[in-house]
Amino acid sequence: GTVCDCGRYRRVVGQLNINVARLNASIKFLKNVIAGIRETDEKFYYIVKEEKNYREALIHCRDRGGTLAMPKDEATNTLIADYISSSGLFRAFIGLSDMEKEGQFVYADNSPLQNYSHWKEGEPHDPAGHEDCVEMLSTGEWNDSECQVTIYFVCEFLKKRK
């Protein structure tokens, strides 16, 4: 018999498995995008119907060239809220947290909350200090939530300039 260089083949097969997993993730992403997308003049928004915690959601959006949605005005907030509601969802993560400094909320791009917010009455309310991430409810109201919960989330992408 002949000697098998099986280690080399195992590495090749392992790399092929990784490539297939990446392609499957890309296909799932495209199916989500095709299933529904909302847009403003400058940005596209879409709901990723995969339950992830806040950090995983942040990475998911960034890996695809976007970020978690950052509603910085009433029109954008309403658009995202209507999208969440019409998708039959109750809530979804948006790109807002106070992970760095308790009570000081910043967007996913590290810009601070300025002259717009849409907190649910009594929120943000974090007596135990564990609710550092923000979800948008289907009503458009914001609620601080634990970052480890796994829920759907909204990504935003800048439109390319022509």
Side-chain angles (χ1 to χ4, degrees):
T2 58
V3 178
C4 174
D5 185 10
C6 296
R8 186 174 58 142
Y9 293 117
R10 282 192 189 103
R11 280 193 301 277
V12 169
V13 169
Q15 188 59 50
L16 286 171
N17 284 336
I18 291 168
N19 291 345
V20 167
R22 285 184 182 146
L23 286 169
N24 282 333
S26 294
I27 288 167
K28 195 169 191 179
F29 171 77
L30 287 172
K31 284 180 180 175
N32 279 331
V33 171
I34 291 165
I37 201 163
R38 298 293 184 278
E39 61 183 294
T40 62
D41 288 343
E42 284 124 27
K43 296 178 182 174
F44 292 110
Y45 297 89
Y46 84 94
I47 293 174
V48 177
K49 293 186 177 178
E50 293 178 45
E51 293 186 349
K52 296 191 182 293
N53 69 37
Y54 186 86
R55 285 189 194 278
E56 291 168 341
L58 204 58
I59 291 166
H60 183 96
C61 295
R62 283 188 182 154
D63 281 353
R64 285 150 182 84
T67 186
L68 276 173
M70 299 178 290
K72 296 181 179 181
D73 56 56
E74 186 65 34
T76 303
N77 200 77
T78 300
L79 178 115
I80 296 169
D82 290 346
Y83 189 14
I84 291 170
S85 177
S86 68
S87 296
L89 303 177
F90 173 68
R91 65 185 187 162
F93 274 133
I94 57 172
L96 189 62
S97 74
D98 72 343
M99 284 187 271
E100 296 298 317
K101 185 174 180 195
E102 185 62 31
Q104 193 170 329
F105 286 88
V106 296
Y107 285 105
D109 64 2
N110 290 318
S111 63
L113 267 183
Q114 290 178 331
N115 37 5
Y116 179 77
S117 68
H118 204 272
W119 293 107
K120 184 177 180 188
E121 189 173 332
E123 300 296 344
H125 178 4
D126 187 10
H130 299 299
E131 296 183 351
D132 294 331
C133 296
V134 179
E135 61 189 15
M136 182 187 288
L137 306 179
S138 57
T139 59
E141 295 170 308
W142 301 351
N143 175 50
D144 56 338
S145 163
E146 290 191 17
C147 299
Q148 288 311 310
V149 299
T150 54
I151 61 175
Y152 295 164
F153 53 99
V154 184
C155 292
E156 79 174 36
F157 299 89
L158 277 172
K159 289 183 177 178
K160 301 273 190 276
R161 295 278 172 225
K162 290 180 179 166

